[in-house]
Amino acid sequence: MSTSSHMYPMSSGHDQHSYIHNSSYQKAAISSAVEKTRRCIFEKLDLQLSSDFGTFRIADFGCSIGPNTFHVAQSIIDTVKSKRLEESTENSLVPLEFQVFFNDQPTNDFNTLFRTQPLSPEREYFSVGVPGSFYGRVLPRNSIHIGHTSYTTHWLSKVPEHVCDKKSMAWNKNYIQCNNLLEEVTKAYKVQFIEDMEVFLVARAEELVPGGLMIVIGECLHDGVSLYETWQGNVLDTIGDCLMDMAKSGITSEEKIDLFSLPVYFPQFSELKGEIEKNGSFTIELMETTSHPLEGKPLTNDFITSTFRAILTTIIEKHFGDGVVDELFCRLAKKLSNHPIDFEMRKKQVVYCIVLKRK
């Protein structure tokens, strides 16, 4: 898929309406990068795909339970097959077999994933579920030819230390996210992001074969732009305001809110590039940014509310307990209605498309 709810997948009772909105938003971004990644596979994949190649292995790290992950897998397979036919001088090629590893947290609903995957003969690959955090090795060394992940690496492996500690200079007072308004909070989040990216890149470098490609798609910030200046950051701050209103009404408590901060960090573009270069395990074959396909037009309040509900339901229920989500997002919808987002005035997050080749 991949989605920002990878680290905290939606609960089984989550309404399908919200999930569809979240999935469609991410699918639009993934689809916009498809042609770039296809071209990069054609030009940069140096593996000799001859008749005796055997099995070609693909991994989707942080897969979803929706259709996006299957679209990604099939797109990669189609591209590899086309490249093989174009480069082959043999009259008859032995059909290449494909194996796709779908990785996500153990809490992901792998049963739903496999029930919704295409059936044979439409499915041209053998599928495997791989539970575990991609912030670490989940597959054998030198086993993967192409890896893919999208909308995942802005989710940190954990909430940074001290941001929920009232005695710390990095206490994220009055906010539930790193919106870049508090310097010490931003530093704490950035440190955690750097640690996580290093672990992520080291693990992928071990799992990919030499010359294998790693495709990474997600959202980041332009250099010099802070999250609070974007419409997404504005929505998250508004969700925090709704929680505070609920505390005043006795629905939750300020103590719980003080101990709550989202493990999410959107890096600036130069930060992201710097961490990849510092790791040194890959050459950067493609690293571009573009506007999200839906960025140019105002989004409805229903779309925004449903999208954030799909992303955050599980983590909110885990911290605040059952019965909070419906009230929270009802309040969010009302606030957005009373105070509409001025999309033209808000600065933009951008979609990045990265293709790395293992040295």
Side-chain angles (χ1 to χ4, degrees), residues 23 26 31 58 104 198 200 229 250 300 320 334 340 343 354:
S23 178
Q26 289 150 12
S31 297
I58 301 162
D104 205 345
E198 176 65 13
F200 175 84
E229 298 176 287
T300 66
F320 292 98
K334 290 179 180 178
F343 289 96
I354 303 171

Side-chain angles (χ1 to χ4, degrees), residues 40-41 43-49 53 56 83 142 144-147 204-205 207-214 281-283 285 355-359:
C40 218
I41 291 172
E43 296 175 355
K44 304 299 183 180
L45 187 67
D46 297 330
L47 306 177
Q48 299 301 311
L49 303 173
F53 187 88
F56 194 97
K83 177 180 175 64
N142 301 318
I144 300 300
H145 301 102
I146 294 181
R204 302 297 81 79
E207 293 162 342
L208 284 165
V209 301
L213 301 180
M214 183 67 211
S281 300
F282 301 90
T283 59
E285 304 298 331
V355 178
L356 308 174
K357 179 187 287 187
R358 190 202 149 182
K359 294 179 179 179

Side-chain angles (χ1 to χ4, degrees), residues 74 118-125:
Q74 191 59 53
L119 301 175
S120 297
E122 288 80 10
R123 189 178 78 247
E124 301 181 72
Y125 53 86

Side-chain angles (χ1 to χ4, degrees), residues 93-106:
L93 282 173
V94 175
L96 190 62
E97 291 193 321
F98 292 91
Q99 189 172 27
V100 180
F101 297 85
F102 297 103
N103 157 253
D104 205 345
Q105 295 280 15

Side-chain angles (χ1 to χ4, degrees), residues 228-298:
Y228 73 86
E229 298 176 287
T230 69
W231 73 262
Q232 295 95 328
N234 176 243
V235 171
L236 286 169
D237 283 339
T238 303
I239 290 173
D241 292 341
C242 291
L243 285 169
M244 289 302 298
D245 291 343
M246 291 167 66
K248 293 174 184 177
S249 300
I251 299 172
T252 187
S253 68
E254 290 191 22
E255 289 182 338
K256 283 189 175 182
I257 299 171
D258 288 342
L259 297 174
F260 181 69
S261 201
L262 293 170
V264 174
Y265 179 79
F266 288 99
Q268 295 185 357
F269 183 73
S270 61
E271 291 177 338
L272 184 61
K273 185 177 182 181
E275 293 312 307
I276 295 171
E277 292 175 336
K278 185 174 70 175
N279 174 266
S281 300
F282 301 90
T283 59
I284 299 176
E285 304 298 331
L286 173 71
M287 188 167 187
E288 297 180 359
T289 62
T290 184
S291 298
H292 192 285
L294 300 181
E295 192 70 68
K297 57 183 179 180

Side-chain angles (χ1 to χ4, degrees), residues 20-35:
I20 291 171
H21 276 327
N22 185 40
S23 178
S24 62
Y25 186 82
Q26 289 150 12
K27 182 179 180 181
I30 295 168
S31 297
S32 70
V34 164
E35 189 53 42

Side-chain angles (χ1 to χ4, degrees), residues 101-118:
F101 297 85
F102 297 103
N103 157 253
D104 205 345
Q105 295 280 15
T107 49
N108 188 40
D109 190 348
F110 285 94
N111 288 330
T112 295
L113 174 73
F114 291 126
R115 279 198 300 267
T116 56
Q117 70 179 348

